[in-house]
Amino acid sequence: MKKLFEIKNLSVHYPVVDGIMGNIKGYVYALNNVDLDIYENEILALVGESGSGKSTLGNSILKLINHTSGEVLFKGENILNKTKKELKGFRKHSQLIFQNPYMSLNPRMKIYYILREPFIIHGIKDKKEINERIKKILELTGLSEDVLNRYPHEFSGGQRQRIAIARAIILNPAFIVADEPVSALDVSIQAQIVNLLTDLKKHLNLTMLFISHDLSVVKYISDRIAVMYLGEIVETAPKEEFFTRHKHPYSQALLNSVPVIGGRRENQKELLSGDVPSPQNPPAGCKFHTRCPYAFDKCRNEHPDLCRLSDGHYVRCFLFA
Ligand code: SF4
């Protein structure tokens, strides 16, 4: 498999500024030395609780926020060093789908102009080409042409998300970050949008980073899983391997938190308790030790590295080092 992205040692630390003098009194350690590859034409799911750093990672690799250190190679080139002008080509090939489609669509623009806008931004003026592409994208996303003359508020949440997806793919990008794209939708609509994203991946050879806290959705859509906890990757594995042979205690706890119909899970010990600690004051040693049912002395003092268990399966835990 060919790598589309290589994320190397990526950290994002936000300064916490004190009062009028503006002194820095600490940092929010949002991302810490993240190493992760994203392969062409895969859907990599990034999972973890709220506050684990998933969206920060998604925004960082699109260079929508500033990083503290590290590199993000896109087709071998570090995009974090590039100027705004140099990033124009990259911007055309990479797009973001937001959780809330209403926020991402300009309420004062008719859908036609919303879909036309990316062409204008990238200097494409040929009206015939634009209209043909809009027609094709409406077909691909299951929308009819009569949406073009209407405003975003005239649509349901699911239809708005289809329009947001249509806008994201209209310039035929190579890569999409989908940040919790179905979590604001009714369960009945979620399946339709997940099916749409899966179809688009096939038809357009898309690569996708699919950010979600919902493992039941991830199980359906992804090819590979990466688990984040307090700004670190703690486990990565191909989907089947992850759902049958996950190893990290945090992965076990996340999976045990997924509701099952009609009963208890066998290993209730691994249910998550408490909240994610503050990223401003992360625990020493293994960051998960304050919630881990298997923690021992070493976990409180030393930081575990990611270690390889099998092809593509890595885990950050002393139990498997
Ligand atoms: Fe738990 Fe220790 Fe493994 Fe961390 S290193 S997940 S605290 S057993």
Side-chain angles (χ1 to χ4, degrees), residues 248-249 286 288-289 292 294-295 299 317-319:
H248 197 281
C286 170
F288 189 55
H289 85 253
C292 179
Y294 307 104
C299 308
C317 174
F318 290 128
L319 295 175

Side-chain angles (χ1 to χ4, degrees), residues 81-239:
N81 289 340
K82 292 196 182 294
T83 61
K84 210 172 162 186
K85 199 174 162 195
E86 289 168 338
L87 276 175
K88 212 166 174 195
F90 172 73
R91 293 259 175 262
K92 194 174 165 193
H93 293 299
S94 57
Q95 293 292 325
L96 178 63
I97 298 170
F98 295 91
Q99 177 180 358
N100 185 341
Y102 201 60
M103 301 289 283
S104 62
L105 301 174
N106 187 333
R108 283 177 300 206
M109 283 169 95
K110 287 187 175 174
I111 305 305
Y112 174 78
Y113 294 101
I114 286 174
L115 295 179
R116 193 189 67 157
E117 198 178 30
F119 295 97
I120 305 299
I121 291 169
H122 289 278
I124 301 165
K125 293 180 184 143
D126 184 333
K127 202 170 170 190
K128 188 165 172 258
E129 182 192 341
I130 293 172
N131 289 346
E132 276 172 11
R133 183 72 187 153
I134 288 176
K135 200 173 164 201
K136 173 125 195 276
I137 289 300
L138 289 176
E139 266 171 41
L140 273 173
T141 49
L143 293 161
S144 63
E145 284 187 46
D146 62 9
V147 304
L148 294 174
N149 209 24
R150 295 159 66 188
Y151 290 94
H153 73 266
E154 297 179 56
F155 296 93
S156 66
Q159 289 292 87
R160 281 200 289 264
Q161 194 57 298
R162 277 180 195 273
I163 294 164
I165 291 168
R167 188 184 191 278
I169 61 169
I170 203 144
L171 293 180
N172 210 5
F175 177 67
I176 283 187
V177 173
D179 192 352
E180 301 273 8
V182 297
S183 58
L185 304 175
D186 288 349
V187 175
S188 56
I189 307 296
Q190 285 186 5
Q192 293 175 19
I193 298 297
V194 166
N195 285 336
L196 171 63
L197 290 172
T198 314
D199 287 348
L200 291 175
K201 179 213 159 193
K202 268 188 236 150
H203 288 119
L204 304 174
N205 284 331
L206 276 174
T207 303
M208 198 181 302
L209 181 67
F210 187 89
I211 297 173
S212 180
H213 66 278
D214 187 339
L215 282 163
S216 50
V217 171
V218 159
K219 189 172 188 177
Y220 185 77
I221 196 172
S222 65
D223 300 302
R224 210 155 57 89
I225 317 277
V227 182
M228 277 200 97
Y229 186 76
L230 262 188
E232 287 185 342
I233 300 292
V234 296
E235 185 159 10
T236 58
K239 178 172 71 176

